[in-house]
Amino acid sequence: MTILQAGAASVAKQDAAYQTCINPNCDTKLSVEETHVACPTCGSLLDLSYDWDRVNVPSSLREFEARWSNRRNPLDVSGVWRFRELLPFAPESSIVTIGEGQTVLRGSEPVGRFVGVGDLLLQYEGFNPSGSFKDNGMTAASTHARMVGAKFAACASTGNTSASLAVYASAAQLFDVVVFVGSGKIAFGKLSQALDFGAHTLQIDGDFDDALKQVRDVCEREKIYLCNSVNPFRLEGQKSIMYRVLEGLDWEPPDWIVVPGGNLGNSSAFGKAFLELKELGLIDRIPRLAVINASGASTLFQLHENQSVEWNGGETDDATINEFFTRMDAEDHRASTLATAIEINRPVSLKKCLRALDICDGVVREVTDEQILDAKAQIGAGGFGCEPASAASVAGAKLLREEGVIAASDRVVCILTGHQLKDPNVTVGYHSSTSGDVDAKLSEAGVDAVSFPNRPIVVQNDLDRILEVIRSL
Ligand code: F0G
């Protein structure tokens, strides 16, 4: 095993990009040549910060449009790096790209009807090379790994992060990869990707929260480059999802961004993206953010909505947060949802997400697996497809509309985070069910009824019988 060559460079005056601690009482600054997953002084999460005066940021977001027509430069093909002035931490020669982020924002009338709004749009991140939004972040993490000369990288994952890291490692051939997954906890589509892309795959006898704890310890001891969202470089790439949403709306911010919440990296990145754009004068209004938990994995909802834990200028109520986790441990309370991608009880980016909620006047909701799967079926019937966790966004938007928090006239963007084929078992289970006879796995998870099943029709291998069925449709 070759290990990461850890740098100890200090921040130089001329550096436009550097790392900072998110704790307002800690003024630690670190060079981008350094690799940390927590502040070495106080242990808080780290951010990328930029001296924007030293970056040649376009004076209008519209200037980025020209890039899109230039297919010769791989950096302009990438939906992340064509916005490179907004994440200027890497020399262009270090950038690792596999054409990620060529994703689209599309309106959907049928899904809008289901949610109860006239102007509903879906940002379809399933179009990414590994089939999920994670590639937006992994291109940035891989780029930083290359900058610091890492030869071994790792992550814990509910499946998509591992698929994404595995494809970057195999495509770039710059570093070897080990992924930690919970045994029996990851959808087969995702596991198959990690295996096929050649990642060393450790199935831990536990869940994601266990796997993340282990990988953090392993990476620290062995100086392996960690690619979970505690890595601040990864989240820089995920900001680009919001740039593309804005681009799809002719640079007009929508009223709402609705996103599933798991480890809370995405929501954190979205908040940072909007804050920076506002500070740079590139947008004049920040959309509201809704983060949607599965009810079987709803730490953020419990803390933010039920216990009023807020960002509070960085002075978060840590006593309440710690008490929550202590009780969770004492009761051995495990996350449990069919939306396995967000089956997480200890979100590592919790504080950054609280900051994003503050920036975006955000709300958090929880939705049941039944609501998630019904929403997923409606997304599919509307001509998109997504995996269960992604549908939490649409289920959450529907709930917020019913509550009157989202107005019928609002422009709402739901983020579809992962591809339909990631988890076919749940999809087939749902569509094979009837309300009186729900698939065993779904039923075990508390799904009592399905509202939009599309059952396969079993028919004899006989023309008359087949015609009978066809004519009855
Ligand atoms: N949707 C999908 C499809 C995901 O894979 C994830 C996270 C999320 C939503 C939640 O995003 O963590 O930024 O709040 N999947 C991670 C993984 C945890 O390991 O693949 P988040």
Side-chain angles (χ1 to χ4, degrees):
M1 182 201 310
T2 321
I3 60 169
L4 163 77
Q5 296 144 21
S10 57
V11 180
K13 276 219 168 57
Q14 70 277 11
D15 286 348
Y18 47 94
Q19 302 180 72
T20 49
C21 177
I22 68 163
N23 176 355
N25 298 319
C26 176
D27 56 8
T28 296
K29 283 192 173 60
L30 302 159
S31 157
V32 294
E33 302 295 332
E34 291 198 44
T35 303
H36 299 276
V37 291
C39 172
T41 313
C42 76
S44 297
L45 292 168
L46 293 170
D47 251 345
L48 263 287
S49 293
Y50 305 104
D51 181 353
W52 293 110
D53 292 337
R54 292 170 193 271
V55 181
N56 196 11
V57 180
S59 57
S60 148
L61 284 168
R62 216 162 272 290
E63 289 180 34
F64 285 108
E65 288 172 15
R67 293 260 170 83
W68 194 219
S69 57
N70 176 14
R71 302 288 193 287
R72 279 183 301 276
N73 181 352
L75 300 190
D76 292 339
V77 172
S78 165
V80 175
W81 297 107
R82 64 196 166 86
F83 298 103
R84 51 195 173 275
E85 287 82 354
L86 298 174
L87 54 149
F89 69 82
E92 291 194 5
S93 56
S94 295
I95 291 176
V96 179
T97 174
I98 57 170
E100 57 287 322
Q102 297 178 57
T103 62
V104 290
L105 181 74
R106 252 178 43 198
S108 174
E109 259 182 58
V111 180
R113 269 198 302 280
F114 174 69
V115 169
V117 296
D119 194 0
L120 184 112
L121 299 114
L122 300 169
Q123 175 66 18
Y124 190 37
E125 290 300 310
F127 275 168
N128 270 292
S130 80
S132 88
F133 76 89
K134 300 286 179 182
D135 297 348
N136 293 286
M138 214 49 81
T139 182
S142 301
T143 296
H144 185 248
R146 181 186 208 171
M147 283 168 66
V148 298
K151 296 291 178 224
F152 210 123
C155 70
S157 183
T158 55
N160 282 326
T161 303
S162 50
S164 183
L165 178 57
V167 73
Y168 277 88
S170 57
Q173 301 274 308
L174 289 167
F175 44 81
D176 202 0
V177 151
V178 58
V179 303
F180 289 51
V181 298
S183 202
K185 290 287 185 183
I186 112 170
F188 257 37
K190 306 173 189 183
L191 180 60
S192 67
Q193 289 179 288
L195 299 176
D196 215 31
F197 289 131
H200 306 290
T201 304
L202 297 194
Q203 291 190 293
I204 307 284
D205 177 22
D207 60 15
F208 172 83
D209 294 314
D210 297 317
L212 184 59
K213 184 180 176 314
Q214 296 293 1
V215 78
R216 288 185 79 158
D217 288 348
V218 167
C219 285
E220 196 172 325
R221 281 174 187 230
E222 299 297 313
K223 298 279 175 270
I224 294 174
Y225 189 88
L226 182 59
C227 289
N228 282 99
S229 47
V230 281
N231 177 333
F233 293 90
R234 216 192 87 187
L235 296 191
E236 288 304 289
Q238 288 174 217
K239 295 188 306 190
S240 68
I241 301 171
M242 291 302 102
Y243 307 151
R244 297 196 297 277
V245 165
L246 289 174
E247 189 177 41
L249 296 173
D250 210 16
W251 309 108
E252 255 315 298
D255 296 305
W256 285 94
I257 299 288
V258 191
V259 64
N263 222 9
L264 304 179
N266 239 2
S267 42
S268 299
F270 296 176
K272 186 170 189 279
F274 287 122
L275 181 67
E276 289 172 352
L277 291 180
K278 183 87 192 328
E279 284 178 354
L280 287 166
L282 293 169
I283 53 171
D284 52 17
R285 188 170 61 79
I286 293 180
R288 295 192 69 186
L289 179 69
V291 183
I292 314 298
N293 278 159
S295 53
S298 61
T299 295
L300 179 68
F301 175 75
Q302 311 269 351
L303 286 174
H304 184 68
E305 298 292 329
N306 291 347
Q307 302 196 45
S308 306
V309 174
E310 312 236 347
W311 171 240
N312 195 27
E315 309 280 354
T316 49
D317 179 355
D318 290 354
T320 301
I321 296 174
N322 293 338
E323 198 185 304
F324 181 86
F325 287 125
T326 305
R327 196 167 352 107
M328 184 180 271
D329 285 345
E331 294 167 3
D332 195 24
H333 182 73
R334 297 283 167 169
S336 174
T337 167
L338 289 168
T340 51
I342 52 175
E343 193 174 46
I344 296 170
N345 262 349
R346 289 182 166 274
V348 289
S349 294
L350 176 66
K351 290 194 180 175
K352 282 188 177 176
C353 178
L354 292 172
R355 183 177 66 178
L357 291 166
D358 186 62
I359 293 166
C360 302
D361 187 16
V363 296
V364 184
R365 291 293 181 271
E366 59 172 358
V367 288
T368 64
D369 282 2
E370 202 166 299
Q371 290 170 310
I372 289 174
L373 295 189
D374 282 341
K376 185 174 118 49
Q378 288 290 287
I379 295 163
F384 283 82
C386 67
E387 65 167 284
S390 312
S393 60
V394 169
K398 181 175 165 60
L399 177 66
L400 288 164
R401 174 68 204 103
E402 284 160 4
E403 291 176 358
V405 177
I406 289 181
S409 57
D410 282 348
R411 170 172 277 180
V412 180
V413 173
C414 293
I415 313 300
L416 297 185
T417 45
H419 199 279
Q420 187 182 35
L421 296 178
K422 291 277 190 176
D423 190 356
N425 291 12
V426 168
T427 307
V428 173
Y430 178 91
H431 285 297
S432 306
S433 299
T434 61
S435 280
D437 180 17
V438 173
D439 170 84
K441 193 167 171 236
L442 271 59
S443 158
E444 239 170 65
V447 176
D448 297 326
V450 291
S451 297
F452 311 104
N454 179 22
R455 305 190 77 189
I457 304 166
V458 180
V459 59
Q460 283 168 22
N461 184 15
D462 175 278
L463 181 62
D464 288 336
R465 292 280 169 277
I466 293 172
L467 286 174
E468 227 172 76
V469 170
I470 297 288
R471 287 171 187 149
S472 73
L473 296 178

